[in-house]
Amino acid sequence: MRPVPRTLELFYDVLSPYSWLGFEVLCRYQNIWNINLQLRPSFIGGIMKDSGNKAPALVPRKGQYMANDLKLLRQHIQVPIQFPKDFFSVILEKGSLSAMRFLTAVNLEHPEMLENVSRELWMRIWSRVSAGLWKSSGRALDDFLTFPRHVFKVMILPSPGGSTVSQSHPSPMFSSFQDEDITQPQSILAAAEKAGMSAEQAQGLLEKSSTSKVKNQLKETTEAACRYGAFGLPITVAHVDGQTHMIFGSDRMELLAYLLGEKWMGPVPPAMNARL
Amino acid sequence: MRPVPRTLELFYDVLSPYSWLGFEVLCRYQNIWNINLQLRPSFIGGIMKDSGNKAPALVPRKGQYMANDLKLLRQHIQVPIQFPKDFFSVILEKGSLSAMRFLTAVNLEHPEMLENVSRELWMRIWSRAAEKAGMSAEQAQGLLEKSSTSKVKNQLKETTEAACRYGAFGLPITVAHVDGQTHMIFGSDRMELLAYLLGEKWMGPVPPAMNARL
């Protein structure tokens, strides 16, 4: 009989780029390691407030470092992450409350869709590549990041009145986003539909997002992260042999493997190792 | 003909536990990878001031996290690091200026001893397993005196400013010079990324010694 899978709780917020990186690495390993990955949508604003910490980008050199770091990690971890042009207004001022409430609603009603919808929301803020095409094509990340400039220019023209997805472009391969705003309902709905949800489903969940049930659930999840000692996100909580380990960031996955007694094969493990 | 080794500059301060971890991992790899590891004693207090950053332990949960993190990393990275009981008085109040000036003097006069002496200082603050660095009492005394000369003070200042120009907001930072590009990497937990940038093989924080180049 196979040993009981170890539970890993990943607390994350789509506002957090390193949350996306940690998420993708753990999603890759969930079919390789003997783990039960539980996604926990959380609100990073609440964690910052409760811990007395501040967003790293408020220290100018940290913001600069993050921009360079993400450029390198994009290649190394093979996730199409890019620093949005209007980082400060999208990220720091508008915040992620509606998006994380939406994901909380998804988790309550359609947990099997949580991974895909979370990914689409990250794509909207932190990428110019469509998640569906990236994941389903199986192609190397370079193919998406080095597309011809003239195609890119056509695709990202914003339409009057706000940023929307450009549907008419010569290339059949891409649909791209212009650092989409995740605070607008239409934007959240678009992400949900990209993830495979019907418009009705998505609308229903959006409505549920403002109920006390969902608001309280997000609050509880965020408080749980705080009780584990979070001062930021992502945090991975590993339950191993009666012990609980809280690991911060997306750069301790090799240490996590060590704690689980599992093999670390880098951030892009070979797919053929996947357990069927 | 073997390719030219890549220069890695490690800016560190013995006040910084993660500097010790990064230091040990890079010391292990200096005989495995085709690199030229240059140790750069720096003053973390100066970097914090210049960047507007604050010591992580000032956020209580970060301090708590660091204590647990170091416990786990001790096993994983195999470095005998322990959170000192009087962390706040030793680390935050007394600071590291004299220690880093001393290491700067060592680097100027006896650079071949810098690795051992740095390790010994870390051992004294962050471990209970302190050993002798192999320096005679006279040598040590002489260097201690040199530490307060303007030459040494200025050298430490320059090294710290160099780290700031690379964009440091804390320590350790590893600056890798690869194919005409310069990459500044913060912390001790990006060594696998560093290997990727160097086109070298990452074999974990405790690489097998038999891979060592003779």
Side-chain angles (χ1 to χ4, degrees), chain A:
Chain A
M1 191 174 103
R2 229 175 76 182
V4 177
R6 271 73 163 271
T7 297
L8 291 190
E9 301 180 76
L10 175 67
F11 293 81
Y12 66 97
D13 184 321
V14 294
L15 211 69
S16 155
Y18 295 105
S19 284
W20 189 13
L21 297 174
F23 167 92
E24 292 296 354
V25 174
L26 289 178
C27 284
R28 290 167 189 165
Y29 275 95
Q30 68 185 328
N31 296 319
I32 299 176
W33 291 342
N34 188 26
I35 56 175
N36 170 19
L37 178 62
Q38 294 185 356
L39 301 178
R40 300 256 184 267
S42 315
F43 181 50
I44 198 171
I47 289 171
M48 290 299 187
K49 189 171 174 196
D50 196 58
S51 62
N53 194 12
K54 290 199 181 80
L58 293 175
V59 175
R61 277 186 209 161
K62 281 194 184 182
Q64 184 56 49
Y65 181 74
M66 229 163 88
N68 289 333
D69 193 37
L70 292 178
K71 251 193 232 170
L72 295 178
L73 292 174
R74 184 172 70 185
Q75 296 296 332
H76 185 224
I77 303 186
Q78 297 272 300
V79 174
I81 193 163
Q82 286 185 339
F83 222 70
K85 275 196 305 296
D86 54 348
F87 175 64
F88 283 98
S89 73
V90 173
I91 305 302
L92 292 184
E93 288 169 35
K94 292 178 178 174
S96 57
L97 195 52
S98 358
M100 297 320 295
R101 280 178 176 162
F102 184 77
L103 288 179
T104 301
V106 172
N107 200 18
L108 286 168
E109 306 273 323
H110 299 284
E112 72 287 357
M113 301 214 67
L114 181 58
E115 183 182 324
N116 285 358
V117 182
S118 301
R119 182 173 290 121
E120 280 299 339
L121 283 172
W122 267 305
M123 284 289 194
R124 291 186 87 76
I125 313 173
W126 291 101
S127 181
R128 293 208 177 100
V129 177
S130 154
L133 284 162
W134 167 46
K135 297 303 277 183
S136 65
S137 74
R139 290 169 60 179
L141 185 62
D142 270 350
D143 289 352
F144 289 96
L145 294 178
T146 57
F147 38 73
R149 284 213 66 81
H150 68 279
V151 173
F152 182 63
K153 260 165 103 167
V154 170
M155 287 190 292
I156 63 165
L157 284 175
S159 49
S163 47
T164 56
V165 177
S166 162
Q167 293 295 345
S168 54
H169 51 79
S171 164
M173 310 255 283
F174 306 103
S175 58
S176 71
F177 307 99
Q178 177 72 22
D179 306 332
E180 292 290 347
D181 182 347
I182 51 148
T183 66
Q184 298 305 314
Q186 314 87 278
S187 194
I188 294 177
L189 291 176
E193 285 173 53
K194 280 267 175 211
M197 228 176 241
S198 73
E200 293 76 30
Q201 255 186 331
Q203 186 59 40
L205 286 167
L206 195 61
E207 280 156 28
K208 285 207 165 71
S209 298
S210 42
T211 60
S212 350
K213 181 180 181 192
V214 169
K215 288 181 181 179
N216 285 336
Q217 179 61 63
L218 179 60
K219 202 156 160 282
E220 280 173 33
T221 306
T222 304
E223 281 168 2
C226 288
R227 279 195 305 273
Y228 280 127
F231 47 84
L233 290 176
I235 64 163
T236 304
V237 179
H239 302 269
V240 189
D241 302 332
Q243 288 198 304
T244 299
H245 302 284
M246 184 280 274
I247 293 174
F248 170 69
S250 59
D251 44 23
R252 288 250 185 302
M253 297 307 175
E254 186 171 13
L255 173 66
L256 177 64
Y258 172 82
L259 292 173
L260 294 170
E262 297 275 6
K263 190 168 160 57
W264 175 245
M265 292 174 282
V268 191
M272 67 272 289
N273 286 318
R275 190 176 292 129
L276 292 166

